[in-house]
Amino acid sequence: MVLLDRLVTILGTYGTRLVGPRPAPDTVLRGVAVHDPADPGPEEADVLLAVGVQDPLTAVELAERSRALAVVVRTAREGGVDPRGEAAARARRAGVSLLAVDPSVSWGQVAGVVYGLVLEGGETEAGRGPADLPALADTIAARVGGPVTIEDPRLRLLAYSGRQTEADRARWDTILGRGVPEALQHRLEATGVIGHLASSAEPVFLPPEPELGMGGRTAVAVRVGREFLGSLWAVCDGPLDAERSALLAEGARTVALHLLRTRVSADLERQVESDLVSRLLEGAMDPTEAAGRLGLAATPHRVIALQAHTPDERHAATLMAFERATTGFGWSRPGRSTVFGSTVYTVLPCGADPSPAREWVAETTRTLPGHVVVNAGIGAPADLAGLSASRREADESLTLHAARPEAAAVAYDESWDDVLIHRLRMASASGRRPADGPVAVLSRHDAEHGTRYTSTLRAWLRAQGDPNAAAAELEVHPNTVRHRMRRMAEVAPLGLDQPSMRLALAIALETYDRGE
């Protein structure tokens, strides 16, 4: 089952614009039809691809005849559908979602996404993984007459063909290291090859680099519309002739379609997993059913709450972290993840030692840009029925880590005391602080007279009234502590003989100390 709202969201990442309001969130899609000008009776389907129709009003009329819930139209120019025009108005009246495709995206690519999402959605949700990308690499290699590699935008290896007898050292290093060697990456950047691939669809020939162990190569970008998805590299002694160059470019387009289908499949996997994990953490799903559908073992798990952001953007880095956390098909990943707002939650098999959870956080965020700030909290271990409590603990640990980001990710069972104090501090700071309370009076006295009454009171409370221990913390003589305690009792009523007052003073000092 695939929802129309999901189709709108995914197509939107490839330059497709929804004209008018979003569809109802529970609108289900089950079929796709392509407009055929030679067929007087249009095929009925939930989604109509108006291929060859550039007039959006005509596309909406065809959708009405097809009883379609959505129609996809590709106009001759970007922004070719006026949201206040006649076509948009008719689509709203008819209850049809009008989707306008960016002209830089081909119909083949749009159809690949729509068919993959609508017609293969159920199969993918049942556990279907991506098609065989190495087999595609072998096919392209046979057509262009040389070994090929398929790489992502960061030059990490996605697939490679056979014919290793023709491999040079750079190809072997790329295969063994699962990515282009660093020295060769620097060379490609310096010679402008990386910039060419990011901005052009034309193949580019790289002459041999004997000092780097690389023979000749021809590379071509793999892209969908304006989005750069990766690159296709073919080993060759010299520039490819026109025929082989055209075959390589055709292979890049096929790889682009494959990566689109793979991304759609991955997105469906993420959607299904995210929904299941959300229900499990909210206590809205039977733990036994969750274990079966998510592949969770009947062992202790911890909930990890993770936020990643930059100074200027709050959500993009979190979505990148969620993508890292959910990369991989089948049950190859140890955790199961979901995202709420700006927080990624992951259920990870982990017992009394929280080290695997911290290692998971480090590995998941390792490839994020250097300026991204990462905060993480780790709940205490729990069985599947207790994961909602572990999630609340992870949230509180995350809040504590955000207050002291220089430390390692906070684990609740290791730092429950700090978490509790932070909770009390935040509760105290949530209302108006007493303007005439003892801590407020001492703070004003310190500011006006240069005294150190608040720091002395804090040290005295930590030392449980021992002037020698408090003096050691303050690096003063014990008599100085005694003198200050007598003088501050004259400034404000402390009531240090009352346990409740001592606790309240300690919490108030924590609040004032951090300026909350």
Side-chain angles (χ1 to χ4, degrees):
M1 180 182 71
V2 177
L3 301 180
L4 174 55
D5 187 68
R6 195 65 180 166
L7 175 66
V8 171
T9 299
I10 293 176
L11 285 178
T13 63
Y14 303 107
T16 298
R17 184 167 57 97
L18 173 65
V19 181
R22 292 190 73 88
D26 56 350
T27 304
V28 179
L29 302 178
R30 294 185 174 86
V32 182
V34 177
H35 169 60
D36 183 356
D39 187 357
E43 179 184 354
E44 291 189 6
D46 293 332
V47 181
L48 175 66
L49 303 181
V51 179
V53 179
Q54 295 190 356
D55 177 19
L57 180 59
T58 302
V60 174
E61 293 171 351
L62 290 170
E64 290 183 272
R65 292 165 56 192
S66 297
R67 302 180 184 275
L69 301 173
V71 60
V72 183
V73 60
R74 181 170 174 266
T75 57
R77 59 184 177 85
E78 186 176 359
V81 180
D82 183 359
R84 294 179 295 275
E86 185 179 357
R90 180 158 183 170
R92 281 191 289 270
R93 290 195 301 270
V96 174
S97 295
L98 178 57
L99 299 169
V101 179
D102 189 301
S104 66
V105 182
S106 72
W107 268 117
Q109 293 166 341
V110 174
V113 173
V114 174
Y115 274 100
L117 187 62
V118 176
L119 300 185
E120 299 182 15
E123 186 179 358
T124 301
E125 290 173 9
R128 176 184 179 274
D132 191 357
L133 193 58
L136 178 57
D138 284 336
T139 301
I140 297 172
R143 299 188 71 185
V144 301
V148 304
T149 57
I150 301 171
E151 296 160 15
D152 72 4
R154 296 187 179 185
L155 299 181
R156 293 174 299 195
L157 187 68
L158 298 176
Y160 61 94
S161 67
R163 303 177 60 168
Q164 305 310 330
T165 56
E166 304 174 40
D168 51 37
R169 179 166 57 86
R171 176 177 168 84
W172 277 115
D173 290 344
T174 298
I175 293 173
L176 295 175
R178 308 304 298 172
V180 174
E182 187 175 354
L184 185 53
Q185 288 191 38
H186 292 326
R187 180 62 176 168
L188 296 175
E189 291 172 359
T191 56
V193 174
I194 301 300
H196 174 89
L197 292 174
S199 60
S200 174
E202 295 298 320
V204 57
F205 174 69
L206 289 72
E209 297 276 359
E211 67 277 12
L212 296 175
M214 186 186 79
R217 296 279 196 282
T218 294
V220 63
V222 175
R223 62 177 66 253
V224 174
R226 296 181 176 89
E227 183 177 4
F228 178 48
L229 298 182
S231 52
L232 176 63
W233 300 73
V235 174
C236 52
D237 296 330
L240 297 179
D241 56 33
E243 181 181 359
R244 294 169 67 201
S245 182
L247 289 172
L248 186 66
E250 181 183 339
R253 289 190 291 272
T254 304
V255 171
L257 285 174
H258 173 89
L259 293 180
L260 274 179
R261 298 281 287 272
T262 301
R263 181 180 291 187
V264 168
S265 296
D267 194 81
L268 282 167
E269 295 282 354
R270 290 187 179 103
Q271 177 191 1
V272 174
E273 177 180 316
S274 181
D275 290 345
L276 292 173
V277 174
S278 296
R279 292 167 58 195
L280 177 62
L281 296 183
E282 291 172 349
M285 185 177 189
D286 178 74
T288 303
E289 179 186 0
R293 298 185 64 180
L294 288 168
L296 298 174
T299 57
H301 288 71
R302 291 176 183 259
V303 176
I304 302 171
L306 184 148
Q307 290 182 344
H309 61 87
T310 66
D312 301 323
E313 218 292 322
R314 196 72 195 171
H315 301 290
T318 293
L319 294 178
M320 291 174 62
F322 177 63
E323 183 176 356
R324 303 283 192 280
T326 53
T327 296
F329 284 84
W331 307 120
S332 60
R333 291 178 287 107
R336 302 290 177 265
S337 301
T338 187
V339 59
F340 294 157
S342 61
T343 305
V344 176
Y345 293 97
T346 295
V347 177
L348 189 77
C350 187
D353 182 8
S355 298
R358 288 198 176 97
E359 292 170 2
W360 181 92
V361 171
E363 180 61 27
T364 300
T365 59
R366 179 177 56 83
T367 57
L368 293 178
H371 65 289
V372 171
V373 178
V374 176
N375 301 124
I378 304 168
D383 58 21
L384 296 181
L387 287 181
S388 57
S390 185
R391 177 202 168 184
R392 291 192 294 271
E393 295 164 354
D395 282 333
E396 290 198 283
S397 301
L398 171 65
T399 302
L400 180 59
H401 190 228
R404 54 182 197 190
E406 69 283 352
V410 175
Y412 184 85
D413 45 325
E414 289 183 345
S415 305
W416 68 267
D417 51 339
D418 290 334
V419 171
L420 178 58
I421 291 172
H422 187 74
R423 182 192 304 168
L424 294 173
R425 184 191 310 130
M426 296 300 291
S428 174
S430 64
R432 188 176 64 178
R433 294 183 297 193
D436 297 323
V439 174
V441 173
L442 293 177
S443 296
R444 287 197 296 268
H445 192 279
D446 285 348
E448 294 170 2
H449 301 283
T451 53
R452 297 184 58 195
Y453 289 164
T454 53
S455 59
T456 302
L457 179 59
R458 184 181 298 105
W460 189 90
L461 290 169
R462 288 176 178 171
Q464 301 183 30
D466 183 350
N468 295 312
E473 179 179 334
L474 296 170
E475 298 181 345
V476 298
H477 195 276
N479 287 338
T480 301
V481 174
R482 295 186 182 96
H483 174 72
R484 290 178 182 175
M485 294 299 296
R486 287 194 298 270
R487 293 299 301 272
M488 72 176 67
E490 299 171 1
V491 175
L494 299 180
L496 294 175
D497 57 332
Q498 304 174 37
S500 60
M501 181 63 80
R502 293 196 298 270
L503 176 60
L505 287 170
I507 296 172
L509 283 167
E510 287 286 336
T511 302
Y512 272 83
D513 182 46
R514 287 169 169 75
E516 297 174 2

